[in-house]
Amino acid sequence: MRLLYVITIAYFAPPVLAFGPAFVSRSNRAGLAIFSGPPSTEHDVMAVSAPLKFIGPYPCLALRFPNLGTSAQRSRNETGVSLDFVVDTAANTNTIQGPVVAELQLKSTGQFALPGVSATGSIPGGETFLLGDTQLDGMGPDLFMIDLTASVLPVSNPAAAGVLSLAFLQCFPGGVEFDWENRQFRFLSETNASEKEGLQMIPIERQPITQLPLIQITINNVELTALLDTGSPITIIHPDAAKRANIDVQNVEANKSRNPFKSLFSQNDSQVLTIMGGDGKPTKLYPTKSAVEISMFGESVVYVGQVPGLAALQVKSPDVILGTDVLKRRPKMILRVQQNEMWI
């Protein structure tokens, strides 16, 4: 399987946190985050569960839109479309790919997401469109959300229709559980003591410009600020932070073999990764020479490099992008955005 090392971080200033989508259970459309007779009462907590699927290394949620149709469906007077979305804690605006908007003939809301920055640098703003009522794909006809919107922005969505952002996760008062081990999402109306049993609470601080989630971690016993990023399959440490934590990177050039066939048989996954900046200039990310000790998550080989987009965050810029390669080392994570809490 070929991994697409695309970091889907979308930062926007000022923050565009669209709280339009309402969470509904059964057919109740009365308001935001309403559960009216839950499909699941596991642990006495009203919750809705859905498969956590992966497209490559990216965690995705499949949504069905009963009132939308492709051009072929419209010619037969039919509706009902299923789309995969990357669930990205380091994006603050839902996004949708332009070709999807055109094919489904989505209606504009008349609003625009403001220009901002992504992992690769500055990006322009984009028009916002109405996706409308949604269901959880394959989970029956009950409505899941109403009036879901997303903006067309030039951010990378590897093989997915778009990105569900922090604005989406904010809609659930009890939080959203990422069960990595069982590959399942749980959308919670509340979180009681039994849900948190055996888990550790980590307070979340918001980045002042974007409101994106930051947590404090230690790497090699040095405290660093990390951006919680389920849209990144790798963990990246800024070079200055790596120096403070006494982290060495692999001397890849010195380790290169003259055997042109070595890469075909090598079992070593460590490699230099390259991301392109908005100015077209490449930025290299170098793997650490050995595994580093990350508090609460154990040892892991991570990458060191300067992500172009982070330079634009002049206030409280994170030292680390904490990706799913590290986050999945814990069996599950409950993200309670409204309470600024992360439980692992």
Side-chain angles (χ1 to χ4, degrees), residues 56-183:
Y58 299 94
C60 294
L61 176 67
L63 296 178
R64 179 173 172 78
F65 300 87
N67 301 322
L68 300 179
T70 63
S71 55
Q73 287 177 308
R74 291 193 298 272
S75 69
R76 301 190 300 268
N77 201 28
E78 298 175 355
T79 59
V81 174
S82 297
L83 300 174
D84 292 322
F85 289 84
V86 175
V87 181
D88 187 355
T89 56
N92 64 10
T93 298
N94 299 335
T95 68
I96 187 80
Q97 295 208 48
V100 177
V101 171
E103 175 63 25
L104 300 181
Q105 295 186 355
L106 299 183
K107 294 181 180 179
S108 172
T109 65
Q111 299 177 331
F112 288 79
L114 297 176
V117 294
S118 71
T120 58
S122 298
I123 58 173
E127 193 170 3
T128 301
F129 293 87
L130 179 66
L131 285 156
D133 295 348
T134 74
Q135 302 162 335
L136 292 170
D137 189 42
M139 304 299 289
D142 294 336
L143 284 181
F144 175 60
M145 305 188 84
I146 60 174
D147 296 334
L148 179 65
T149 61
S151 302
V152 176
L153 298 170
V155 293
S156 300
N157 306 329
V163 167
L164 295 174
S165 68
L166 204 66
F168 166 81
L169 297 170
Q170 178 103 20
C171 292
F172 309 100
V176 177
E177 179 182 286
F178 295 71
D179 188 339
W180 307 113
E181 198 168 61
N182 297 304
R183 295 201 171 192

Side-chain angles (χ1 to χ4, degrees), residues 5-65:
Y5 288 101
V6 183
I7 305 167
T8 54
I9 309 170
Y11 304 108
F12 301 91
V16 185
L17 297 177
F19 300 109
F23 183 62
V24 297
S25 168
R26 305 300 183 189
S27 58
N28 190 327
R29 298 166 55 120
L32 183 66
I34 292 178
F35 289 76
S36 59
S40 167
T41 55
E42 185 180 359
H43 306 304
D44 298 320
V45 172
M46 291 183 285
V48 176
S49 299
L52 190 168
K53 60 190 294 187
F54 283 89
I55 297 179
Y58 299 94
C60 294
L61 176 67
L63 296 178
R64 179 173 172 78
F65 300 87

